[in-house]
């Protein structure tokens, strides 16, 4: 069975075609600047890159071009579109309705649309992508895999905010959490790596990329996570503030005479690592500032980033009354020994100790980096959200037969 995984943004589209028997990626790629001048498709097969520059008015044209690339005589990987058994779509927000992935039908489309209010930047392009695929492949089953679904197991006292209860009832104001597909993949992969039953493990997953979140996974279920009503909450990220006193928002809006949209842009696009350092949103640039340029602002940013992560780890140990396994994933978590070193320093009270040599070797691979006398297993596990989406899609479509 071959499954196409599609992740649509407002002007971009990422895809992978996966052979589910071997779980091998047959082809993958990215379309950028959809609806803008200078659209470009980068299609990759076996490490070779094929670039098509052609203006693409909308997502339907982009997906048509992707399908053509997949069946292309020279660099295609399938003979016919019918070889694609199913399409798995990443959908950001499933609200309280979806705790699992689902086969897309008219009701699911309506629910994704209803959730657009909660994720105005993400759900509408996700829907556009689903519609475009449905038009081009009307007989192929489609599955929605929600970023929020895994965190639907959080208890009410963890996901509620201390604001008037009627706002929860009327507007759905609560913590939803995001990156769920990654947290689910990584927590399960960590249990498999340790040869343990996920149901018997208390795991803390640190997904540290440009966007970053931490989750507490008890017995395979998410019991808390750092992102909230939106992906702005929690850790300090590339350009997002993470947690701040909410009174700062109203204070600045009044002081600077900012509209809600302007304030939103400041917190989402101008804050975090970029806002504090005034150097870059990229952790590699911050590390250069710390280790090579002796830059004070880079040092402050670096310390803030790690301190917040340590705080969350501590609070999730308390939430679960213990932790067996701490896992690092995401661009920073998978690749940066220095950041992992900083986070795990002075955590021995909690039973967390890493082997520095192993930590230095763990770059983009599954690896146990715990010290021999560490009570808690510390692992690096590269995330693979696309594979998780493809697996869910395969499972759901197989049930149809
Ligand atoms: P996204 O949230 O966009 O999916 P990724 O998980 O791909 O992001 O992570 C991208 C981030 O990973 C970049 O901001 C970059 O700073 C960081 N990164 C990648 N490699 C390293 C490294 N060796 N050291 C520090 N940071 C790194």
């Amino acid at each position: 069975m071959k499954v196409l995984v599609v992740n649509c943004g407002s002007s971009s589209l990422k895809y992978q075609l996966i052979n589910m028997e071997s779980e091998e990626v047959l082809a993958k790629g990215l379309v950028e600047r959809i609806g803008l001048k200078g659209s470009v498709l980068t299609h990759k097969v076996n490490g070779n890159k094929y670039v098509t520059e052609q203006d693409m008015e909308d997502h339907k044209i982009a997906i048509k071009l992707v399908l053509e690339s997949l069946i292309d005589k020279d660099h295609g990987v399938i003979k016919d579109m019918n070889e694609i058994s199913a399409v798995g779509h990443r959908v950001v927000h499933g609200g309280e309705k979806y705790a699992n992935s689902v086969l897309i039908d008219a009701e699911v489309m309506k629910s994704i649309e209803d959730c657009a209010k909660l994720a105005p930047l993400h759900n509408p392009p996700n829907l556009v992508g689903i519609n475009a695929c449905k038009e081009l492949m009307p007989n192929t089953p489609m599955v929605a895999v929600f970023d929020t679904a895994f965190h639907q197991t959080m208890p009410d006292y963890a996901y509620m905010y201390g604001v008037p209860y009627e706002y929860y009832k009327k507007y759905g104001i609560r913590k939803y959490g995001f990156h769920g597909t990654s947290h689910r993949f990584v927590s399960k992969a960590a249990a498999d790596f340790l040869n343990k039953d996920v149901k018997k493990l208390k795991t803390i997953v640190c997904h540290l990329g440009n966007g970053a979140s931490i989750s507490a996974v008890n017995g395979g279920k998410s019991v808390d996570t750092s992102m909230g009503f939106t992906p702005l909450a929690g850790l300090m990220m590339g350009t997002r503030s993470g947690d701040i006193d909410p009174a700062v928002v109203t204070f600045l809006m009044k002081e600077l005479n900012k509209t809600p949209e302007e304030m939103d842009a400041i917190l989402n696009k101008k804050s975090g690592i970029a806002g504090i350092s005034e150097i870059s949103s990229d952790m590699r640039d911050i590390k250069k500032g710390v280790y090579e340029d002796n830059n004070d602002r880079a040092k402050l940013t670096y310390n803030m980033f790690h301190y917040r992560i340590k705080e969350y780890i501590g609070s999730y140990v308390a939430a679960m009354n213990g932790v067996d396994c701490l896992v690092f994933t995401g661009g920073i978590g998978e690749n940066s020994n220095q950041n992992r070193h900083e986070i795990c320093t002075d955590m021995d009270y909690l039973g967390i100790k890493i082997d520095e040599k192993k930590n230095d070797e763990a770059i983009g691979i599954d690896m146990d980096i715990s010290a021999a006398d560490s009570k808690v297993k510390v692992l690096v596990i590269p995330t693979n959200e696309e594979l998780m989406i493809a697996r869910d899609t395969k499972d759901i479509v197989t049930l149809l037969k």
Side-chain angles (χ1 to χ4, degrees), residues 290-348:
V290 172
Y291 296 114
E292 294 173 30
D293 306 338
N294 198 22
N295 180 300
D296 283 339
R297 204 74 77 71
K299 285 185 200 165
L300 171 65
T301 310
Y302 206 51
N303 291 338
M304 287 173 68
F305 182 75
H306 300 128
Y307 182 71
R308 182 69 59 87
I309 294 168
K310 281 165 167 285
E311 282 186 300
Y312 266 101
I313 293 173
S315 71
Y316 289 166
V317 171
M320 293 193 287
N321 187 22
V323 60
D324 302 305
C325 180
L326 173 68
V327 197
F328 289 101
T329 196
I332 299 170
E334 291 166 24
N335 298 307
S336 179
N337 51 342
Q338 293 101 330
N339 290 96
R340 293 190 301 248
H341 164 84
E342 292 298 328
I343 294 161
C344 295
T345 296
D346 293 337
M347 296 284 265
D348 45 320

Short mmCIF file of all heavy atoms in Angstrom, two decimals, residues 290-348:
data_model
loop_
_atom_site.label_atom_id
_atom_site.label_comp_id
_atom_site.label_asym_id
_atom_site.label_seq_id
_atom_site.Cartn_x
_atom_site.Cartn_y
_atom_site.Cartn_z
N VAL A 290 27.06 32.77 21.52
CA VAL A 290 27.51 32.35 22.86
C VAL A 290 28.94 31.84 22.83
O VAL A 290 29.79 32.26 23.61
CB VAL A 290 26.57 31.25 23.43
CG1 VAL A 290 27.11 30.67 24.72
CG2 VAL A 290 25.16 31.81 23.64
N TYR A 291 29.21 30.89 21.93
CA TYR A 291 30.48 30.17 21.97
C TYR A 291 31.61 30.85 21.19
O TYR A 291 32.78 30.63 21.46
CB TYR A 291 30.30 28.73 21.47
CG TYR A 291 29.38 27.92 22.36
CD1 TYR A 291 28.14 27.47 21.91
CD2 TYR A 291 29.75 27.61 23.67
CE1 TYR A 291 27.29 26.74 22.74
CE2 TYR A 291 28.92 26.88 24.50
CZ TYR A 291 27.69 26.45 24.03
OH TYR A 291 26.86 25.73 24.85
N GLU A 292 31.25 31.66 20.17
CA GLU A 292 32.32 32.27 19.36
C GLU A 292 32.44 33.78 19.56
O GLU A 292 33.52 34.32 19.59
CB GLU A 292 32.09 31.99 17.87
CG GLU A 292 32.22 30.51 17.53
CD GLU A 292 31.81 30.20 16.09
OE1 GLU A 292 31.99 31.08 15.22
OE2 GLU A 292 31.31 29.09 15.85
N ASP A 293 31.28 34.46 19.71
CA ASP A 293 31.33 35.92 19.70
C ASP A 293 31.23 36.53 21.10
O ASP A 293 31.28 37.75 21.24
CB ASP A 293 30.18 36.49 18.84
CG ASP A 293 30.19 35.91 17.44
OD1 ASP A 293 31.27 35.44 17.02
OD2 ASP A 293 29.14 35.91 16.78
N ASN A 294 31.03 35.70 22.12
CA ASN A 294 30.92 36.20 23.48
C ASN A 294 29.86 37.30 23.59
O ASN A 294 30.08 38.32 24.26
CB ASN A 294 32.30 36.70 23.95
CG ASN A 294 32.37 36.81 25.45
OD1 ASN A 294 31.60 36.16 26.17
ND2 ASN A 294 33.26 37.66 25.93
N ASN A 295 28.72 37.08 22.93
CA ASN A 295 27.68 38.11 22.85
C ASN A 295 26.71 37.97 24.04
O ASN A 295 26.12 36.92 24.26
CB ASN A 295 26.93 37.92 21.52
CG ASN A 295 25.81 38.91 21.34
OD1 ASN A 295 24.88 38.98 22.13
ND2 ASN A 295 25.92 39.70 20.29
N ASP A 296 26.57 39.04 24.81
CA ASP A 296 25.78 38.97 26.04
C ASP A 296 24.31 38.67 25.79
O ASP A 296 23.67 37.96 26.55
CB ASP A 296 25.89 40.29 26.82
CG ASP A 296 27.23 40.36 27.55
OD1 ASP A 296 27.83 39.28 27.76
OD2 ASP A 296 27.68 41.47 27.87
N ARG A 297 23.77 39.27 24.74
CA ARG A 297 22.34 39.05 24.47
C ARG A 297 22.09 37.61 24.02
O ARG A 297 21.07 37.00 24.35
CB ARG A 297 21.85 40.04 23.41
CG ARG A 297 20.36 40.28 23.50
CD ARG A 297 19.98 41.15 24.70
NE ARG A 297 20.28 42.52 24.42
CZ ARG A 297 19.60 43.26 23.54
NH1 ARG A 297 18.56 42.76 22.90
NH2 ARG A 297 19.93 44.49 23.31
N ALA A 298 23.04 37.05 23.28
CA ALA A 298 22.92 35.64 22.89
C ALA A 298 22.94 34.77 24.14
O ALA A 298 22.16 33.82 24.26
CB ALA A 298 24.05 35.25 21.94
N LYS A 299 23.80 35.14 25.11
CA LYS A 299 23.89 34.36 26.35
C LYS A 299 22.58 34.41 27.14
O LYS A 299 22.12 33.41 27.67
CB LYS A 299 25.03 34.88 27.23
CG LYS A 299 26.40 34.49 26.71
CD LYS A 299 27.47 34.95 27.70
CE LYS A 299 28.81 35.04 27.02
NZ LYS A 299 29.78 35.79 27.82
N LEU A 300 21.99 35.62 27.19
CA LEU A 300 20.73 35.76 27.91
C LEU A 300 19.65 34.89 27.24
O LEU A 300 18.90 34.17 27.91
CB LEU A 300 20.29 37.24 27.91
CG LEU A 300 18.88 37.51 28.42
CD1 LEU A 300 18.74 37.15 29.91
CD2 LEU A 300 18.48 38.98 28.21
N THR A 301 19.58 34.97 25.92
CA THR A 301 18.59 34.19 25.17
C THR A 301 18.77 32.70 25.45
O THR A 301 17.81 31.96 25.70
CB THR A 301 18.77 34.44 23.65
OG1 THR A 301 18.80 35.84 23.43
CG2 THR A 301 17.65 33.81 22.85
N TYR A 302 20.02 32.28 25.38
CA TYR A 302 20.38 30.88 25.59
C TYR A 302 19.94 30.41 26.98
O TYR A 302 19.31 29.38 27.13
CB TYR A 302 21.91 30.81 25.46
CG TYR A 302 22.48 29.48 25.03
CD1 TYR A 302 22.00 28.81 23.90
CD2 TYR A 302 23.55 28.91 25.73
CE1 TYR A 302 22.57 27.61 23.50
CE2 TYR A 302 24.12 27.71 25.32
CZ TYR A 302 23.62 27.07 24.21
OH TYR A 302 24.18 25.89 23.81
N ASN A 303 20.26 31.22 27.98
CA ASN A 303 19.89 30.86 29.35
C ASN A 303 18.38 30.84 29.55
O ASN A 303 17.84 29.97 30.23
CB ASN A 303 20.51 31.85 30.35
CG ASN A 303 22.01 31.71 30.42
OD1 ASN A 303 22.55 30.66 30.06
ND2 ASN A 303 22.71 32.76 30.85
N MET A 304 17.69 31.81 28.95
CA MET A 304 16.22 31.85 29.08
C MET A 304 15.59 30.61 28.46
O MET A 304 14.68 30.01 29.02
CB MET A 304 15.65 33.10 28.40
CG MET A 304 15.91 34.39 29.14
SD MET A 304 15.38 35.82 28.16
CE MET A 304 13.61 35.62 28.14
N PHE A 305 16.10 30.25 27.28
CA PHE A 305 15.56 29.09 26.56
C PHE A 305 15.65 27.83 27.43
O PHE A 305 14.67 27.11 27.61
CB PHE A 305 16.35 28.92 25.26
CG PHE A 305 15.88 27.78 24.39
CD1 PHE A 305 14.70 27.89 23.65
CD2 PHE A 305 16.60 26.59 24.30
CE1 PHE A 305 14.26 26.84 22.84
CE2 PHE A 305 16.17 25.55 23.49
CZ PHE A 305 15.00 25.67 22.76
N HIS A 306 16.82 27.61 28.02
CA HIS A 306 17.02 26.39 28.80
C HIS A 306 16.28 26.42 30.14
O HIS A 306 15.74 25.42 30.59
CB HIS A 306 18.53 26.17 29.06
CG HIS A 306 19.29 26.04 27.80
ND1 HIS A 306 20.42 26.78 27.51
CD2 HIS A 306 19.08 25.27 26.70
CE1 HIS A 306 20.86 26.45 26.31
NE2 HIS A 306 20.07 25.56 25.80
N TYR A 307 16.26 27.60 30.76
CA TYR A 307 15.62 27.72 32.07
C TYR A 307 14.14 27.34 31.99
O TYR A 307 13.62 26.60 32.81
CB TYR A 307 15.79 29.14 32.62
CG TYR A 307 15.18 29.33 33.99
CD1 TYR A 307 15.78 28.75 35.11
CD2 TYR A 307 14.01 30.06 34.17
CE1 TYR A 307 15.21 28.90 36.37
CE2 TYR A 307 13.45 30.21 35.42
CZ TYR A 307 14.05 29.63 36.52
OH TYR A 307 13.49 29.77 37.76
N ARG A 308 13.48 27.84 30.95
CA ARG A 308 12.05 27.56 30.78
C ARG A 308 11.82 26.05 30.58
O ARG A 308 10.87 25.48 31.11
CB ARG A 308 11.52 28.36 29.58
CG ARG A 308 10.04 28.21 29.31
CD ARG A 308 9.17 28.85 30.36
NE ARG A 308 9.40 30.27 30.52
CZ ARG A 308 8.80 31.22 29.80
NH1 ARG A 308 7.94 30.89 28.87
NH2 ARG A 308 9.03 32.48 30.04
N ILE A 309 12.71 25.43 29.81
CA ILE A 309 12.56 23.98 29.56
C ILE A 309 12.75 23.21 30.88
O ILE A 309 11.98 22.30 31.19
CB ILE A 309 13.57 23.51 28.49
CG1 ILE A 309 13.23 24.15 27.15
CG2 ILE A 309 13.56 21.98 28.36
CD1 ILE A 309 14.28 24.01 26.08
N LYS A 310 13.75 23.61 31.66
CA LYS A 310 13.98 22.96 32.96
C LYS A 310 12.74 23.10 33.86
O LYS A 310 12.35 22.15 34.54
CB LYS A 310 15.17 23.59 33.67
CG LYS A 310 16.52 23.12 33.18
CD LYS A 310 17.57 24.10 33.71
CE LYS A 310 18.98 23.60 33.56
NZ LYS A 310 19.32 22.57 34.55
N GLU A 311 12.15 24.28 33.86
CA GLU A 311 10.95 24.50 34.67
C GLU A 311 9.84 23.54 34.29
O GLU A 311 9.17 22.97 35.15
CB GLU A 311 10.42 25.93 34.46
CG GLU A 311 11.16 27.01 35.19
CD GLU A 311 10.44 28.34 34.99
OE1 GLU A 311 10.30 28.79 33.83
OE2 GLU A 311 10.01 28.94 35.99
N TYR A 312 9.63 23.39 32.98
CA TYR A 312 8.57 22.49 32.52
C TYR A 312 8.88 21.04 32.88
O TYR A 312 7.98 20.30 33.29
CB TYR A 312 8.34 22.63 31.01
CG TYR A 312 7.23 23.62 30.72
CD1 TYR A 312 7.51 24.91 30.32
CD2 TYR A 312 5.90 23.24 30.86
CE1 TYR A 312 6.50 25.82 30.06
CE2 TYR A 312 4.88 24.14 30.62
CZ TYR A 312 5.18 25.43 30.22
OH TYR A 312 4.16 26.31 29.98
N ILE A 313 10.14 20.64 32.71
CA ILE A 313 10.49 19.26 33.06
C ILE A 313 10.18 19.02 34.53
O ILE A 313 9.53 18.04 34.90
CB ILE A 313 11.98 18.97 32.74
CG1 ILE A 313 12.21 19.00 31.22
CG2 ILE A 313 12.40 17.60 33.31
CD1 ILE A 313 13.66 18.89 30.79
N GLY A 314 10.60 19.96 35.37
CA GLY A 314 10.33 19.83 36.81
C GLY A 314 8.85 19.73 37.10
O GLY A 314 8.40 18.88 37.88
N SER A 315 8.06 20.56 36.44
CA SER A 315 6.63 20.57 36.74
C SER A 315 5.97 19.29 36.25
O SER A 315 5.02 18.79 36.86
CB SER A 315 5.95 21.81 36.18
OG SER A 315 5.88 21.74 34.79
N TYR A 316 6.47 18.70 35.17
CA TYR A 316 5.86 17.47 34.67
C TYR A 316 6.29 16.24 35.49
O TYR A 316 5.56 15.27 35.57
CB TYR A 316 6.15 17.28 33.18
CG TYR A 316 5.37 18.27 32.32
CD1 TYR A 316 5.67 18.49 30.99
CD2 TYR A 316 4.29 18.98 32.87
CE1 TYR A 316 4.95 19.39 30.22
CE2 TYR A 316 3.57 19.89 32.11
CZ TYR A 316 3.91 20.10 30.78
OH TYR A 316 3.19 21.00 30.05
N VAL A 317 7.46 16.32 36.11
CA VAL A 317 7.84 15.26 37.05
C VAL A 317 6.84 15.29 38.20
O VAL A 317 6.33 14.26 38.65
CB VAL A 317 9.29 15.44 37.56
CG1 VAL A 317 9.58 14.46 38.69
CG2 VAL A 317 10.30 15.26 36.44
N ALA A 318 6.51 16.50 38.65
CA ALA A 318 5.53 16.64 39.73
C ALA A 318 4.15 16.17 39.28
O ALA A 318 3.45 15.46 40.00
CB ALA A 318 5.47 18.10 40.19
N ALA A 319 3.76 16.55 38.05
CA ALA A 319 2.42 16.19 37.55
C ALA A 319 2.25 14.68 37.47
O ALA A 319 1.14 14.16 37.68
CB ALA A 319 2.18 16.82 36.18
N MET A 320 3.34 13.97 37.14
CA MET A 320 3.22 12.50 36.96
C MET A 320 3.74 11.73 38.18
O MET A 320 3.77 10.51 38.17
CB MET A 320 3.99 12.05 35.72
CG MET A 320 3.41 12.57 34.42
SD MET A 320 4.10 11.73 32.97
CE MET A 320 5.74 12.41 32.90
N ASN A 321 4.19 12.46 39.20
CA ASN A 321 4.82 11.82 40.36
C ASN A 321 5.96 10.91 39.91
O ASN A 321 6.07 9.75 40.31
CB ASN A 321 3.78 11.03 41.19
CG ASN A 321 4.38 10.52 42.49
OD1 ASN A 321 5.38 11.05 42.97
ND2 ASN A 321 3.79 9.47 43.05
N GLY A 322 6.81 11.47 39.02
CA GLY A 322 7.98 10.71 38.58
C GLY A 322 8.16 10.78 37.09
O GLY A 322 7.29 11.29 36.37
N VAL A 323 9.30 10.30 36.63
CA VAL A 323 9.56 10.20 35.19
C VAL A 323 10.57 9.06 34.96
O VAL A 323 11.52 8.91 35.73
CB VAL A 323 10.07 11.55 34.61
CG1 VAL A 323 11.37 12.01 35.27
CG2 VAL A 323 10.27 11.48 33.10
N ASP A 324 10.29 8.25 33.93
CA ASP A 324 11.21 7.16 33.59
C ASP A 324 12.11 7.55 32.44
O ASP A 324 13.22 7.06 32.32
CB ASP A 324 10.42 5.91 33.15
CG ASP A 324 9.47 5.44 34.23
OD1 ASP A 324 9.95 5.21 35.35
OD2 ASP A 324 8.25 5.34 33.96
N CYS A 325 11.61 8.44 31.59
CA CYS A 325 12.29 8.65 30.33
C CYS A 325 12.11 10.10 29.87
O CYS A 325 11.00 10.62 29.88
CB CYS A 325 11.62 7.66 29.36
SG CYS A 325 12.26 7.70 27.74
N LEU A 326 13.22 10.74 29.52
CA LEU A 326 13.19 12.11 29.00
C LEU A 326 13.68 12.03 27.55
O LEU A 326 14.76 11.50 27.30
CB LEU A 326 14.12 12.99 29.83
CG LEU A 326 14.36 14.42 29.36
CD1 LEU A 326 13.08 15.26 29.50
CD2 LEU A 326 15.48 15.09 30.15
N VAL A 327 12.89 12.56 26.63
CA VAL A 327 13.25 12.40 25.22
C VAL A 327 13.40 13.75 24.53
O VAL A 327 12.56 14.64 24.71
CB VAL A 327 12.17 11.59 24.44
CG1 VAL A 327 12.74 11.09 23.12
CG2 VAL A 327 11.65 10.45 25.26
N PHE A 328 14.45 13.87 23.72
CA PHE A 328 14.67 15.08 22.93
C PHE A 328 14.37 14.81 21.47
O PHE A 328 14.84 13.82 20.91
CB PHE A 328 16.12 15.55 23.08
CG PHE A 328 16.41 16.12 24.43
CD1 PHE A 328 17.07 15.36 25.38
CD2 PHE A 328 16.02 17.40 24.76
CE1 PHE A 328 17.35 15.87 26.64
CE2 PHE A 328 16.28 17.93 26.02
CZ PHE A 328 16.94 17.16 26.96
N THR A 329 13.61 15.74 20.85
CA THR A 329 13.34 15.64 19.42
C THR A 329 13.18 17.04 18.82
O THR A 329 13.31 18.03 19.54
CB THR A 329 12.07 14.76 19.19
OG1 THR A 329 12.04 14.36 17.82
CG2 THR A 329 10.78 15.49 19.53
N GLY A 330 12.91 17.13 17.50
CA GLY A 330 12.82 18.43 16.83
C GLY A 330 14.22 18.89 16.43
O GLY A 330 15.22 18.33 16.90
N GLY A 331 14.29 19.88 15.56
CA GLY A 331 15.58 20.33 15.00
C GLY A 331 16.66 20.56 16.05
O GLY A 331 17.80 20.12 15.89
N ILE A 332 16.31 21.23 17.15
CA ILE A 332 17.29 21.50 18.21
C ILE A 332 17.52 20.24 19.04
O ILE A 332 18.66 19.84 19.30
CB ILE A 332 16.81 22.67 19.10
CG1 ILE A 332 16.64 23.95 18.28
CG2 ILE A 332 17.77 22.89 20.28
CD1 ILE A 332 15.95 25.10 19.00
N GLY A 333 16.44 19.59 19.45
CA GLY A 333 16.53 18.40 20.30
C GLY A 333 17.29 17.25 19.65
O GLY A 333 18.02 16.52 20.32
N GLU A 334 17.13 17.12 18.33
CA GLU A 334 17.77 16.00 17.63
C GLU A 334 19.24 16.27 17.33
O GLU A 334 20.04 15.34 17.28
CB GLU A 334 17.06 15.74 16.29
CG GLU A 334 15.66 15.19 16.45
CD GLU A 334 14.85 15.25 15.16
OE1 GLU A 334 15.42 15.28 14.06
OE2 GLU A 334 13.60 15.26 15.27
N ASN A 335 19.56 17.54 17.09
CA ASN A 335 20.89 17.85 16.54
C ASN A 335 21.85 18.55 17.48
O ASN A 335 23.05 18.61 17.20
CB ASN A 335 20.73 18.74 15.29
CG ASN A 335 19.96 18.03 14.21
OD1 ASN A 335 20.30 16.92 13.83
ND2 ASN A 335 18.91 18.66 13.72
N SER A 336 21.35 19.14 18.56
CA SER A 336 22.24 20.01 19.32
C SER A 336 22.65 19.44 20.68
O SER A 336 21.91 19.53 21.66
CB SER A 336 21.58 21.38 19.50
OG SER A 336 22.46 22.19 20.24
N ASN A 337 23.86 18.89 20.71
CA ASN A 337 24.40 18.36 21.97
C ASN A 337 24.54 19.47 23.01
O ASN A 337 24.30 19.25 24.20
CB ASN A 337 25.74 17.66 21.73
CG ASN A 337 26.71 18.52 20.94
OD1 ASN A 337 26.32 19.49 20.30
ND2 ASN A 337 27.98 18.18 21.00
N GLN A 338 24.90 20.69 22.56
CA GLN A 338 25.10 21.78 23.53
C GLN A 338 23.80 22.14 24.26
O GLN A 338 23.79 22.33 25.47
CB GLN A 338 25.63 23.06 22.84
CG GLN A 338 27.03 22.93 22.30
CD GLN A 338 27.01 22.70 20.80
OE1 GLN A 338 26.08 22.12 20.27
NE2 GLN A 338 28.06 23.14 20.13
N ASN A 339 22.70 22.25 23.49
CA ASN A 339 21.43 22.59 24.14
C ASN A 339 21.00 21.47 25.10
O ASN A 339 20.53 21.74 26.21
CB ASN A 339 20.32 22.83 23.11
CG ASN A 339 20.54 24.11 22.32
OD1 ASN A 339 21.09 24.07 21.23
ND2 ASN A 339 20.14 25.23 22.88
N ARG A 340 21.18 20.23 24.68
CA ARG A 340 20.80 19.11 25.57
C ARG A 340 21.67 19.13 26.83
O ARG A 340 21.18 18.87 27.94
CB ARG A 340 20.96 17.78 24.83
CG ARG A 340 19.97 17.61 23.67
CD ARG A 340 20.01 16.20 23.13
NE ARG A 340 21.32 15.80 22.65
CZ ARG A 340 21.64 15.56 21.38
NH1 ARG A 340 20.72 15.69 20.43
NH2 ARG A 340 22.86 15.19 21.05
N HIS A 341 22.95 19.43 26.64
CA HIS A 341 23.85 19.50 27.80
C HIS A 341 23.37 20.55 28.80
O HIS A 341 23.28 20.31 30.00
CB HIS A 341 25.28 19.83 27.31
CG HIS A 341 26.19 20.29 28.40
ND1 HIS A 341 26.87 19.42 29.21
CD2 HIS A 341 26.49 21.54 28.85
CE1 HIS A 341 27.56 20.11 30.10
NE2 HIS A 341 27.35 21.40 29.90
N GLU A 342 23.05 21.74 28.28
CA GLU A 342 22.59 22.83 29.16
C GLU A 342 21.31 22.45 29.91
O GLU A 342 21.18 22.71 31.11
CB GLU A 342 22.34 24.11 28.35
CG GLU A 342 23.58 24.75 27.75
CD GLU A 342 24.57 25.21 28.81
OE1 GLU A 342 24.14 25.61 29.91
OE2 GLU A 342 25.80 25.17 28.54
N ILE A 343 20.38 21.82 29.19
CA ILE A 343 19.10 21.46 29.81
C ILE A 343 19.30 20.40 30.90
O ILE A 343 18.67 20.46 31.97
CB ILE A 343 18.10 20.95 28.74
CG1 ILE A 343 17.75 22.08 27.77
CG2 ILE A 343 16.82 20.39 29.38
CD1 ILE A 343 17.16 21.63 26.45
N CYS A 344 20.20 19.47 30.66
CA CYS A 344 20.37 18.34 31.61
C CYS A 344 21.39 18.63 32.71
O CYS A 344 21.61 17.78 33.57
CB CYS A 344 20.75 17.08 30.85
SG CYS A 344 19.45 16.52 29.75
N THR A 345 22.00 19.81 32.69
CA THR A 345 22.95 20.14 33.75
C THR A 345 22.19 20.48 35.04
O THR A 345 21.15 21.15 35.01
CB THR A 345 23.81 21.36 33.31
OG1 THR A 345 24.56 20.96 32.17
CG2 THR A 345 24.78 21.80 34.41
N ASP A 346 22.73 20.00 36.16
CA ASP A 346 22.10 20.24 37.47
C ASP A 346 20.67 19.74 37.54
O ASP A 346 19.78 20.40 38.08
CB ASP A 346 22.12 21.75 37.81
CG ASP A 346 23.54 22.24 38.05
OD1 ASP A 346 24.41 21.39 38.38
OD2 ASP A 346 23.78 23.44 37.85
N MET A 347 20.45 18.58 36.97
CA MET A 347 19.13 17.95 37.06
C MET A 347 19.25 16.61 37.78
O MET A 347 18.32 15.80 37.74
CB MET A 347 18.54 17.73 35.65
CG MET A 347 18.28 19.02 34.89
SD MET A 347 16.79 19.87 35.46
CE MET A 347 15.60 19.23 34.31
N ASP A 348 20.40 16.39 38.43
CA ASP A 348 20.62 15.09 39.07
C ASP A 348 19.67 14.85 40.25
O ASP A 348 19.36 13.72 40.59
CB ASP A 348 22.08 14.90 39.49
CG ASP A 348 22.65 16.12 40.18
OD1 ASP A 348 22.34 17.24 39.72
OD2 ASP A 348 23.37 15.97 41.18
#
